[in-house]
Amino acid sequence: FRFKDSLAEDLRSADLVISHAGAGSCLETLENGKPLIVVINDKLMNNHQLELAKQLQRDGYVLCCNCSTLVETLQLMDLSTLKPFPRGQPEKFALFLDKVFGFQ
């Protein structure tokens, strides 16, 4: 894609999303309930995306690969093994902040 203001419509209509391991891309896709293959760019220095991708894979939410293994991942993937991503609970964070700042 060229730059778009939002991928929301594309995500809603997608059957499968293949993305880099940026936190925003991963979370937005998973929160939309879409299966996700995360392609790690192992050429990035201090690749922080690797940690997120590997943890999401260990937790069973995504399939993870790099550019050289993407075709094999697509051929062998079993999307039924992926777990649904749990919904966020922002109210818990708000309660935590209230407690930390003494508003309770």
Side-chain angles (χ1 to χ4, degrees):
F1 289 108
R2 292 199 173 274
F3 177 78
K4 295 178 98 170
D5 289 333
S6 173
L7 294 175
E9 186 177 324
D10 298 299
L11 284 174
R12 279 192 296 275
S13 65
D15 294 320
L16 171 69
V17 175
I18 300 171
S19 176
H20 73 133
S25 300
C26 289
L27 293 176
E28 188 173 4
T29 300
L30 292 171
E31 287 170 352
N32 274 279
K34 301 300 178 170
L36 175 61
I37 296 177
V38 176
V39 181
I40 299 166
N41 181 351
D42 48 16
K43 300 209 183 319
L44 291 176
M45 268 204 309
N46 300 322
N47 192 355
H48 63 280
Q49 292 184 2
L50 177 63
E51 292 177 37
L52 175 63
K54 290 297 185 182
Q55 187 61 53
L56 289 173
Q57 180 172 264
R58 275 192 296 274
D59 292 342
Y61 301 124
V62 305
L63 299 175
C64 193
C65 66
N66 57 39
C67 291
S68 64
T69 60
L70 177 58
V71 171
E72 179 183 4
T73 300
L74 288 167
Q75 291 169 338
L76 300 175
M77 71 182 179
D78 180 0
L79 299 178
S80 70
T81 64
L82 297 178
K83 296 190 310 191
F85 192 70
R87 291 276 171 217
Q89 297 176 321
E91 65 280 355
K92 285 187 175 182
F93 184 63
L95 289 173
F96 169 76
L97 288 178
D98 285 348
K99 190 175 183 179
V100 167
F101 290 107
F103 296 128
Q104 280 185 333

